[in-house]
Each structure stands twice: as C-alpha cells, then as structure tokens.
Amino acid sequence: YIYMKGASPGMALEVILCFEQRFWDANVHLFGHIATSTASRGELFMFWHLSFTPVLIALLAGDDAVKFESLPDDVIVAKAMAVLRSIFGDQSVPEPKETCVTRWRGDEYARGSYSYVSAGASGNDYDFLAAAVSPTRSGSIIPKPRVFFAGEHTMRNYPATVHGALLSGLREAGKVADLLLGAPYTPRPLSSSAEVVLPAVALAELVQGIQT
C-alpha cells in the first residue's frame, strides 16, 4: 500500500481459532463483544465463523491491532479464548486444536490490512492508484501501458473488500487482453442460429459493466 493523502492502509489483525467441534450457534454468522472501555473498543470486538467448519476468526482493529501485533501468538490467543469463555462459559469452550495470528502490517509486501479513504480524500485517489503506467512519450507515438495495477485499493466502488480485489483483477485482465488481442472486438451470438447483431465492446468495458 502507498501512503498518500487519499487512500491509506488500515490496520486489522485476525486471530484464527480451529476447534474439534462448534460450541456456538451454527445459524449465527457472527457475534460481537463489547470492551470494558472505549480505549480498547477495537480489541477482539467481533467473531465470525466459516460456514460448515468449527473455525472462528476474531478481529482486532485500529490502535488495538497495532498494540497486539507486537505480542506473542500465545498471548493473543489466550486473550481471545478468555473473551469466548466470558461469553459461553468456561466449561463450554475447549482449547483450539490449531491457531493462527495474521500480521499484515509487518508483511513487507502488504504494509497494512486494507485501504480506507482518509479525511479530505475522495474516490479519485483510488482511480489514481489504479492508473496504468506507460513509457515516456516520444514524438507523435503514444506508448501503450506496460504496468497495470489491481487490488482493493484500486477499486473506488468496492474498496477494502475481497470482491473489490477480485473485480479489480478482472478489470486489469480485460485491459491486458484488449491490449494484446486488439480492442474493440465483437462477441459471438449466444447461438449459431441467432441472428443478432452485437455492438463492438472491449473486455475492459465488460468488466466495468459487472462492477455496476
């Protein structure tokens, strides 16, 4: 992520807890926990489970995520287990068989968990990060783009989401295909017998249609 006036990297830390079996209501997708003070409101405030699996994911955000990131895994897991036992009771919550703690801010290729629009910014900052890079123009020849960017931080309509990241990948793949195959092109009719005249459209435009 690039630190700039507009789209900045947010911080979240996930604690993944794998159990032998569920002890929570399988029909409840997620449940929350209210901290004892506003200073720790981002500490293990939400748990959600993966469908059909005995796995819970606890979330820390903001300053609390930064504070917890420097702690050992066993300390973080113990705090998450203490919260669960305060909700469901000591006897109902077994020890997890496997655990994992994410640390996205410390990842040299991520430097953060998700993007957000800071004060004074707009969706234009996402468009700026999504802009392809072309060689320097020489004379009357307009160079073609060489480097393309995807990721939720380039998606002004769906930032900070998995589907935003997926759609941005489709968008950039469409741009590359248009560049290599030539655009616009005319898609084939749905059936060989259908006498339908379809307008020429670029792959990138098709992906843009999916986004909206």
Short mmCIF file of all heavy atoms in Angstrom, two decimals, residues 114-175:
data_model
loop_
_atom_site.label_atom_id
_atom_site.label_comp_id
_atom_site.label_asym_id
_atom_site.label_seq_id
_atom_site.Cartn_x
_atom_site.Cartn_y
_atom_site.Cartn_z
N TYR A 114 -5.98 -3.24 4.82
CA TYR A 114 -6.99 -2.80 3.87
C TYR A 114 -6.83 -1.29 3.67
O TYR A 114 -6.16 -0.62 4.45
CB TYR A 114 -8.40 -3.11 4.38
CG TYR A 114 -8.69 -2.48 5.72
CD1 TYR A 114 -9.23 -1.21 5.81
CD2 TYR A 114 -8.37 -3.16 6.89
CE1 TYR A 114 -9.46 -0.61 7.04
CE2 TYR A 114 -8.60 -2.57 8.14
CZ TYR A 114 -9.14 -1.30 8.20
OH TYR A 114 -9.36 -0.72 9.42
N SER A 115 -7.43 -0.77 2.65
CA SER A 115 -7.34 0.66 2.39
C SER A 115 -8.58 1.36 2.94
O SER A 115 -9.62 0.75 3.13
CB SER A 115 -7.23 0.93 0.88
OG SER A 115 -8.41 0.50 0.22
N TYR A 116 -8.44 2.65 3.19
CA TYR A 116 -9.59 3.46 3.57
C TYR A 116 -9.35 4.87 3.08
O TYR A 116 -8.22 5.29 2.85
CB TYR A 116 -9.82 3.44 5.09
CG TYR A 116 -8.76 4.17 5.89
CD1 TYR A 116 -8.94 5.51 6.24
CD2 TYR A 116 -7.59 3.53 6.27
CE1 TYR A 116 -7.97 6.18 6.98
CE2 TYR A 116 -6.62 4.20 7.01
CZ TYR A 116 -6.82 5.52 7.36
OH TYR A 116 -5.85 6.18 8.07
N VAL A 117 -10.45 5.61 2.90
CA VAL A 117 -10.36 6.98 2.42
C VAL A 117 -10.26 7.90 3.63
O VAL A 117 -11.20 8.02 4.42
CB VAL A 117 -11.57 7.36 1.56
CG1 VAL A 117 -11.45 8.79 1.07
CG2 VAL A 117 -11.70 6.41 0.38
N SER A 118 -9.12 8.52 3.79
CA SER A 118 -8.92 9.39 4.94
C SER A 118 -9.59 10.74 4.71
O SER A 118 -10.08 11.05 3.62
CB SER A 118 -7.42 9.58 5.18
OG SER A 118 -6.78 10.08 4.02
N ALA A 119 -9.61 11.56 5.75
CA ALA A 119 -10.26 12.86 5.68
C ALA A 119 -9.63 13.73 4.59
O ALA A 119 -8.41 13.76 4.43
CB ALA A 119 -10.14 13.58 7.03
N GLY A 120 -10.48 14.37 3.81
CA GLY A 120 -10.00 15.24 2.75
C GLY A 120 -9.74 14.53 1.44
O GLY A 120 -9.29 15.15 0.47
N ALA A 121 -10.01 13.21 1.40
CA ALA A 121 -9.77 12.44 0.18
C ALA A 121 -11.08 12.12 -0.51
O ALA A 121 -12.17 12.47 -0.04
CB ALA A 121 -9.01 11.17 0.52
N SER A 122 -10.98 11.43 -1.65
CA SER A 122 -12.18 11.05 -2.41
C SER A 122 -11.87 9.78 -3.20
O SER A 122 -10.75 9.26 -3.17
CB SER A 122 -12.60 12.17 -3.36
OG SER A 122 -11.64 12.28 -4.42
N GLY A 123 -12.88 9.32 -3.92
CA GLY A 123 -12.70 8.13 -4.76
C GLY A 123 -11.68 8.35 -5.86
O GLY A 123 -11.16 7.38 -6.43
N ASN A 124 -11.39 9.61 -6.18
CA ASN A 124 -10.40 9.88 -7.23
C ASN A 124 -9.02 9.34 -6.86
O ASN A 124 -8.22 9.03 -7.74
CB ASN A 124 -10.30 11.39 -7.49
CG ASN A 124 -11.57 11.95 -8.10
OD1 ASN A 124 -12.31 11.23 -8.77
ND2 ASN A 124 -11.84 13.22 -7.85
N ASP A 125 -8.75 9.24 -5.55
CA ASP A 125 -7.45 8.72 -5.13
C ASP A 125 -7.32 7.24 -5.46
O ASP A 125 -6.23 6.76 -5.76
CB ASP A 125 -7.27 8.94 -3.63
CG ASP A 125 -7.19 10.42 -3.29
OD1 ASP A 125 -6.24 11.08 -3.72
OD2 ASP A 125 -8.11 10.92 -2.62
N TYR A 126 -8.43 6.50 -5.43
CA TYR A 126 -8.41 5.10 -5.84
C TYR A 126 -8.16 4.99 -7.34
O TYR A 126 -7.45 4.11 -7.81
CB TYR A 126 -9.73 4.42 -5.46
CG TYR A 126 -9.83 4.09 -4.00
CD1 TYR A 126 -10.39 4.98 -3.09
CD2 TYR A 126 -9.35 2.88 -3.51
CE1 TYR A 126 -10.48 4.68 -1.75
CE2 TYR A 126 -9.43 2.56 -2.16
CZ TYR A 126 -10.00 3.47 -1.28
OH TYR A 126 -10.07 3.18 0.05
N ASP A 127 -8.77 5.89 -8.10
CA ASP A 127 -8.54 5.89 -9.55
C ASP A 127 -7.08 6.19 -9.87
O ASP A 127 -6.51 5.63 -10.81
CB ASP A 127 -9.44 6.93 -10.23
CG ASP A 127 -10.91 6.57 -10.14
OD1 ASP A 127 -11.21 5.37 -9.94
OD2 ASP A 127 -11.75 7.48 -10.26
N PHE A 128 -6.49 7.06 -9.08
CA PHE A 128 -5.08 7.39 -9.28
C PHE A 128 -4.20 6.16 -9.07
O PHE A 128 -3.28 5.89 -9.85
CB PHE A 128 -4.67 8.50 -8.32
CG PHE A 128 -3.21 8.85 -8.36
CD1 PHE A 128 -2.70 9.67 -9.36
CD2 PHE A 128 -2.34 8.33 -7.42
CE1 PHE A 128 -1.34 9.99 -9.41
CE2 PHE A 128 -0.98 8.63 -7.46
CZ PHE A 128 -0.48 9.45 -8.45
N LEU A 129 -4.49 5.39 -8.03
CA LEU A 129 -3.71 4.18 -7.76
C LEU A 129 -3.95 3.10 -8.80
O LEU A 129 -3.13 2.21 -8.99
CB LEU A 129 -4.04 3.63 -6.37
CG LEU A 129 -3.58 4.47 -5.18
CD1 LEU A 129 -4.11 3.88 -3.88
CD2 LEU A 129 -2.06 4.55 -5.14
N ALA A 130 -5.10 3.16 -9.48
CA ALA A 130 -5.44 2.15 -10.49
C ALA A 130 -4.88 2.48 -11.86
O ALA A 130 -4.90 1.63 -12.76
CB ALA A 130 -6.96 2.00 -10.58
N ALA A 131 -4.37 3.69 -12.05
CA ALA A 131 -3.90 4.12 -13.37
C ALA A 131 -2.70 3.30 -13.83
O ALA A 131 -1.74 3.11 -13.08
CB ALA A 131 -3.56 5.60 -13.34
N ALA A 132 -2.76 2.82 -15.06
CA ALA A 132 -1.64 2.06 -15.64
C ALA A 132 -0.47 3.00 -15.93
O ALA A 132 -0.65 4.20 -16.10
CB ALA A 132 -2.09 1.36 -16.91
N VAL A 133 0.72 2.42 -15.99
CA VAL A 133 1.94 3.19 -16.24
C VAL A 133 2.42 2.92 -17.66
O VAL A 133 2.55 1.76 -18.08
CB VAL A 133 3.04 2.82 -15.23
CG1 VAL A 133 4.34 3.55 -15.56
CG2 VAL A 133 2.59 3.15 -13.81
N SER A 134 2.69 3.98 -18.39
CA SER A 134 3.18 3.87 -19.77
C SER A 134 4.57 4.47 -19.87
O SER A 134 4.95 5.33 -19.07
CB SER A 134 2.24 4.60 -20.73
OG SER A 134 0.92 4.10 -20.65
N PRO A 135 5.36 4.03 -20.86
CA PRO A 135 6.67 4.65 -21.08
C PRO A 135 6.52 6.11 -21.45
O PRO A 135 5.45 6.56 -21.86
CB PRO A 135 7.24 3.83 -22.24
CG PRO A 135 6.48 2.56 -22.26
CD PRO A 135 5.10 2.90 -21.78
N THR A 136 7.58 6.86 -21.31
CA THR A 136 7.56 8.28 -21.66
C THR A 136 7.29 8.46 -23.15
O THR A 136 7.88 7.76 -23.98
CB THR A 136 8.90 8.94 -21.31
OG1 THR A 136 9.17 8.75 -19.91
CG2 THR A 136 8.87 10.43 -21.61
N ARG A 137 6.39 9.36 -23.47
CA ARG A 137 6.03 9.59 -24.87
C ARG A 137 7.18 10.21 -25.63
O ARG A 137 7.86 11.12 -25.15
CB ARG A 137 4.80 10.50 -24.94
CG ARG A 137 4.34 10.80 -26.37
CD ARG A 137 3.00 11.49 -26.35
NE ARG A 137 2.55 11.81 -27.71
CZ ARG A 137 1.34 12.31 -28.01
NH1 ARG A 137 0.48 12.54 -27.01
NH2 ARG A 137 1.01 12.58 -29.26
N SER A 138 7.39 9.70 -26.82
CA SER A 138 8.45 10.22 -27.70
C SER A 138 7.84 10.56 -29.05
O SER A 138 7.39 9.67 -29.79
CB SER A 138 9.57 9.18 -27.86
OG SER A 138 10.56 9.67 -28.74
N GLY A 139 7.81 11.84 -29.38
CA GLY A 139 7.25 12.27 -30.66
C GLY A 139 5.74 12.12 -30.69
O GLY A 139 5.04 12.35 -29.70
N SER A 140 5.23 11.71 -31.84
CA SER A 140 3.78 11.61 -32.03
C SER A 140 3.22 10.25 -31.65
O SER A 140 2.01 10.05 -31.65
CB SER A 140 3.44 11.90 -33.51
OG SER A 140 4.09 10.95 -34.35
N ILE A 141 4.09 9.31 -31.32
CA ILE A 141 3.64 7.96 -30.98
C ILE A 141 3.23 7.91 -29.50
O ILE A 141 4.01 8.25 -28.62
CB ILE A 141 4.75 6.92 -31.24
CG1 ILE A 141 5.14 6.93 -32.72
CG2 ILE A 141 4.29 5.53 -30.82
CD1 ILE A 141 6.28 5.99 -33.04
N ILE A 142 2.00 7.48 -29.29
CA ILE A 142 1.51 7.35 -27.92
C ILE A 142 1.84 5.95 -27.41
O ILE A 142 1.37 4.95 -27.97
CB ILE A 142 -0.02 7.58 -27.85
CG1 ILE A 142 -0.35 8.99 -28.37
CG2 ILE A 142 -0.53 7.38 -26.43
CD1 ILE A 142 -1.84 9.27 -28.42
N PRO A 143 2.69 5.82 -26.42
CA PRO A 143 3.09 4.50 -25.95
C PRO A 143 1.94 3.76 -25.27
O PRO A 143 1.05 4.36 -24.68
CB PRO A 143 4.21 4.81 -24.95
CG PRO A 143 3.90 6.18 -24.47
CD PRO A 143 3.29 6.90 -25.64
N LYS A 144 1.97 2.45 -25.37
CA LYS A 144 0.95 1.62 -24.73
C LYS A 144 1.34 1.37 -23.27
O LYS A 144 2.51 1.32 -22.93
CB LYS A 144 0.81 0.29 -25.47
CG LYS A 144 0.32 0.43 -26.90
CD LYS A 144 0.21 -0.93 -27.57
CE LYS A 144 -0.31 -0.80 -29.01
NZ LYS A 144 -0.41 -2.12 -29.67
N PRO A 145 0.35 1.19 -22.41
CA PRO A 145 0.65 0.92 -21.00
C PRO A 145 1.48 -0.34 -20.85
O PRO A 145 1.31 -1.31 -21.60
CB PRO A 145 -0.74 0.76 -20.37
CG PRO A 145 -1.66 1.47 -21.30
CD PRO A 145 -1.10 1.29 -22.67
N ARG A 146 2.35 -0.36 -19.86
CA ARG A 146 3.22 -1.51 -19.62
C ARG A 146 2.96 -2.16 -18.25
O ARG A 146 3.18 -3.35 -18.09
CB ARG A 146 4.69 -1.08 -19.70
CG ARG A 146 5.11 -0.59 -21.08
CD ARG A 146 5.18 -1.71 -22.08
NE ARG A 146 5.65 -1.26 -23.37
CZ ARG A 146 6.94 -1.14 -23.71
NH1 ARG A 146 7.87 -1.42 -22.83
NH2 ARG A 146 7.28 -0.72 -24.91
N VAL A 147 2.55 -1.36 -17.27
CA VAL A 147 2.34 -1.87 -15.92
C VAL A 147 0.90 -1.57 -15.50
O VAL A 147 0.43 -0.45 -15.63
CB VAL A 147 3.32 -1.23 -14.91
CG1 VAL A 147 3.10 -1.83 -13.52
CG2 VAL A 147 4.76 -1.44 -15.35
N PHE A 148 0.21 -2.61 -15.01
CA PHE A 148 -1.18 -2.49 -14.60
C PHE A 148 -1.31 -2.82 -13.10
O PHE A 148 -0.56 -3.64 -12.58
CB PHE A 148 -2.07 -3.42 -15.42
CG PHE A 148 -2.05 -3.15 -16.90
CD1 PHE A 148 -1.03 -3.66 -17.70
CD2 PHE A 148 -3.02 -2.37 -17.49
CE1 PHE A 148 -0.99 -3.41 -19.06
CE2 PHE A 148 -3.00 -2.11 -18.86
CZ PHE A 148 -1.97 -2.62 -19.64
N PHE A 149 -2.28 -2.20 -12.46
CA PHE A 149 -2.42 -2.36 -11.01
C PHE A 149 -3.82 -2.86 -10.65
O PHE A 149 -4.82 -2.31 -11.11
CB PHE A 149 -2.15 -1.03 -10.29
CG PHE A 149 -0.76 -0.52 -10.50
CD1 PHE A 149 -0.49 0.43 -11.49
CD2 PHE A 149 0.28 -0.98 -9.71
CE1 PHE A 149 0.80 0.91 -11.69
CE2 PHE A 149 1.57 -0.51 -9.90
CZ PHE A 149 1.83 0.43 -10.89
N ALA A 150 -3.85 -3.90 -9.82
CA ALA A 150 -5.10 -4.43 -9.31
C ALA A 150 -5.01 -4.48 -7.79
O ALA A 150 -3.95 -4.29 -7.20
CB ALA A 150 -5.37 -5.83 -9.88
N GLY A 151 -6.14 -4.72 -7.15
CA GLY A 151 -6.20 -4.77 -5.69
C GLY A 151 -7.35 -3.92 -5.19
O GLY A 151 -7.80 -3.00 -5.87
N GLU A 152 -7.84 -4.25 -3.99
CA GLU A 152 -8.99 -3.50 -3.48
C GLU A 152 -8.69 -2.01 -3.33
O GLU A 152 -9.60 -1.18 -3.38
CB GLU A 152 -9.46 -4.10 -2.16
CG GLU A 152 -8.42 -4.20 -1.05
CD GLU A 152 -8.20 -2.91 -0.29
OE1 GLU A 152 -9.02 -2.00 -0.40
OE2 GLU A 152 -7.18 -2.81 0.41
N HIS A 153 -7.41 -1.67 -3.18
CA HIS A 153 -7.04 -0.26 -3.01
C HIS A 153 -7.09 0.51 -4.33
O HIS A 153 -6.82 1.71 -4.35
CB HIS A 153 -5.63 -0.16 -2.41
CG HIS A 153 -4.58 -0.79 -3.25
ND1 HIS A 153 -4.51 -2.14 -3.46
CD2 HIS A 153 -3.54 -0.26 -3.94
CE1 HIS A 153 -3.46 -2.41 -4.25
NE2 HIS A 153 -2.88 -1.28 -4.55
N THR A 154 -7.43 -0.18 -5.44
CA THR A 154 -7.61 0.48 -6.73
C THR A 154 -9.07 0.50 -7.15
O THR A 154 -9.39 0.86 -8.27
CB THR A 154 -6.79 -0.23 -7.82
OG1 THR A 154 -7.37 -1.52 -8.10
CG2 THR A 154 -5.35 -0.41 -7.40
N MET A 155 -9.97 0.14 -6.24
CA MET A 155 -11.38 -0.05 -6.57
C MET A 155 -12.24 0.95 -5.82
O MET A 155 -12.59 0.73 -4.65
CB MET A 155 -11.77 -1.48 -6.20
CG MET A 155 -13.00 -1.99 -6.89
SD MET A 155 -12.62 -2.32 -8.62
CE MET A 155 -14.16 -3.04 -9.12
N ARG A 156 -12.59 2.05 -6.46
CA ARG A 156 -13.31 3.10 -5.76
C ARG A 156 -14.73 2.68 -5.38
O ARG A 156 -15.29 3.18 -4.40
CB ARG A 156 -13.34 4.38 -6.58
CG ARG A 156 -14.21 4.33 -7.82
CD ARG A 156 -14.14 5.64 -8.60
NE ARG A 156 -14.69 6.76 -7.84
CZ ARG A 156 -14.49 8.04 -8.15
NH1 ARG A 156 -13.72 8.34 -9.18
NH2 ARG A 156 -15.03 8.99 -7.45
N ASN A 157 -15.34 1.76 -6.11
CA ASN A 157 -16.70 1.34 -5.80
C ASN A 157 -16.76 0.33 -4.66
O ASN A 157 -17.74 0.30 -3.90
CB ASN A 157 -17.36 0.72 -7.03
CG ASN A 157 -17.62 1.75 -8.12
OD1 ASN A 157 -17.72 2.93 -7.83
ND2 ASN A 157 -17.70 1.30 -9.37
N TYR A 158 -15.73 -0.53 -4.54
CA TYR A 158 -15.75 -1.59 -3.53
C TYR A 158 -14.39 -1.69 -2.83
O TYR A 158 -13.75 -2.74 -2.84
CB TYR A 158 -16.10 -2.93 -4.16
CG TYR A 158 -17.38 -2.92 -4.96
CD1 TYR A 158 -17.35 -2.90 -6.35
CD2 TYR A 158 -18.61 -2.90 -4.32
CE1 TYR A 158 -18.52 -2.88 -7.09
CE2 TYR A 158 -19.79 -2.88 -5.05
CZ TYR A 158 -19.75 -2.88 -6.43
OH TYR A 158 -20.91 -2.85 -7.14
N PRO A 159 -13.93 -0.63 -2.20
CA PRO A 159 -12.64 -0.70 -1.52
C PRO A 159 -12.71 -1.54 -0.26
O PRO A 159 -13.79 -1.75 0.31
CB PRO A 159 -12.34 0.76 -1.19
CG PRO A 159 -13.69 1.39 -1.02
CD PRO A 159 -14.57 0.71 -2.04
N ALA A 160 -11.56 -2.05 0.16
CA ALA A 160 -11.43 -2.79 1.43
C ALA A 160 -12.28 -4.06 1.46
O ALA A 160 -12.71 -4.49 2.52
CB ALA A 160 -11.78 -1.90 2.62
N THR A 161 -12.54 -4.65 0.28
CA THR A 161 -13.33 -5.88 0.22
C THR A 161 -12.65 -6.90 -0.67
O THR A 161 -11.88 -6.56 -1.57
CB THR A 161 -14.74 -5.62 -0.34
OG1 THR A 161 -14.63 -5.16 -1.71
CG2 THR A 161 -15.49 -4.57 0.48
N VAL A 162 -12.98 -8.18 -0.43
CA VAL A 162 -12.45 -9.26 -1.27
C VAL A 162 -13.03 -9.17 -2.68
O VAL A 162 -12.32 -9.36 -3.67
CB VAL A 162 -12.75 -10.63 -0.64
CG1 VAL A 162 -12.35 -11.76 -1.59
CG2 VAL A 162 -12.02 -10.79 0.69
N HIS A 163 -14.34 -8.91 -2.79
CA HIS A 163 -14.92 -8.84 -4.13
C HIS A 163 -14.39 -7.63 -4.90
O HIS A 163 -14.29 -7.68 -6.13
CB HIS A 163 -16.45 -8.82 -4.08
CG HIS A 163 -17.06 -7.72 -3.29
ND1 HIS A 163 -17.15 -7.73 -1.92
CD2 HIS A 163 -17.62 -6.55 -3.68
CE1 HIS A 163 -17.75 -6.63 -1.50
NE2 HIS A 163 -18.04 -5.89 -2.54
N GLY A 164 -14.00 -6.57 -4.18
CA GLY A 164 -13.37 -5.44 -4.86
C GLY A 164 -12.03 -5.84 -5.44
O GLY A 164 -11.69 -5.47 -6.58
N ALA A 165 -11.26 -6.62 -4.70
CA ALA A 165 -9.98 -7.10 -5.20
C ALA A 165 -10.17 -8.00 -6.41
O ALA A 165 -9.45 -7.91 -7.41
CB ALA A 165 -9.23 -7.84 -4.09
N LEU A 166 -11.18 -8.90 -6.33
CA LEU A 166 -11.46 -9.81 -7.44
C LEU A 166 -11.87 -9.05 -8.69
O LEU A 166 -11.35 -9.30 -9.80
CB LEU A 166 -12.55 -10.79 -7.04
CG LEU A 166 -13.06 -11.73 -8.13
CD1 LEU A 166 -11.94 -12.63 -8.63
CD2 LEU A 166 -14.23 -12.57 -7.64
N LEU A 167 -12.78 -8.10 -8.53
CA LEU A 167 -13.24 -7.33 -9.69
C LEU A 167 -12.12 -6.50 -10.30
O LEU A 167 -12.04 -6.32 -11.52
CB LEU A 167 -14.40 -6.42 -9.28
CG LEU A 167 -15.74 -7.11 -9.03
CD1 LEU A 167 -16.74 -6.13 -8.45
CD2 LEU A 167 -16.27 -7.73 -10.30
N SER A 168 -11.22 -5.99 -9.45
CA SER A 168 -10.10 -5.21 -9.99
C SER A 168 -9.18 -6.10 -10.82
O SER A 168 -8.61 -5.65 -11.82
CB SER A 168 -9.32 -4.55 -8.85
OG SER A 168 -8.54 -5.50 -8.13
N GLY A 169 -9.02 -7.36 -10.40
CA GLY A 169 -8.21 -8.29 -11.19
C GLY A 169 -8.84 -8.56 -12.55
O GLY A 169 -8.14 -8.62 -13.57
N LEU A 170 -10.17 -8.73 -12.57
CA LEU A 170 -10.87 -8.92 -13.84
C LEU A 170 -10.74 -7.68 -14.72
O LEU A 170 -10.57 -7.77 -15.94
CB LEU A 170 -12.34 -9.23 -13.58
CG LEU A 170 -12.64 -10.57 -12.90
CD1 LEU A 170 -14.12 -10.66 -12.55
CD2 LEU A 170 -12.23 -11.73 -13.79
N ARG A 171 -10.85 -6.53 -14.11
CA ARG A 171 -10.73 -5.26 -14.84
C ARG A 171 -9.38 -5.15 -15.53
O ARG A 171 -9.29 -4.86 -16.72
CB ARG A 171 -10.93 -4.10 -13.87
CG ARG A 171 -10.78 -2.70 -14.48
CD ARG A 171 -10.61 -1.66 -13.38
NE ARG A 171 -9.36 -1.84 -12.66
CZ ARG A 171 -9.18 -1.46 -11.39
NH1 ARG A 171 -10.16 -0.90 -10.71
NH2 ARG A 171 -8.01 -1.64 -10.81
N GLU A 172 -8.30 -5.42 -14.78
CA GLU A 172 -6.96 -5.29 -15.35
C GLU A 172 -6.68 -6.40 -16.36
O GLU A 172 -5.99 -6.17 -17.36
CB GLU A 172 -5.91 -5.30 -14.24
CG GLU A 172 -6.03 -4.13 -13.27
CD GLU A 172 -6.08 -2.79 -13.98
OE1 GLU A 172 -5.16 -2.50 -14.79
OE2 GLU A 172 -7.03 -2.02 -13.74
N ALA A 173 -7.20 -7.60 -16.11
CA ALA A 173 -7.05 -8.68 -17.09
C ALA A 173 -7.72 -8.30 -18.40
O ALA A 173 -7.19 -8.59 -19.49
CB ALA A 173 -7.64 -9.97 -16.54
N GLY A 174 -8.88 -7.63 -18.30
CA GLY A 174 -9.55 -7.16 -19.51
C GLY A 174 -8.73 -6.14 -20.27
O GLY A 174 -8.64 -6.15 -21.49
N LYS A 175 -8.08 -5.23 -19.52
CA LYS A 175 -7.24 -4.22 -20.16
C LYS A 175 -6.06 -4.86 -20.89
O LYS A 175 -5.71 -4.47 -22.01
CB LYS A 175 -6.72 -3.23 -19.12
CG LYS A 175 -7.77 -2.32 -18.52
CD LYS A 175 -7.15 -1.40 -17.48
CE LYS A 175 -8.17 -0.50 -16.82
NZ LYS A 175 -7.55 0.38 -15.79
#
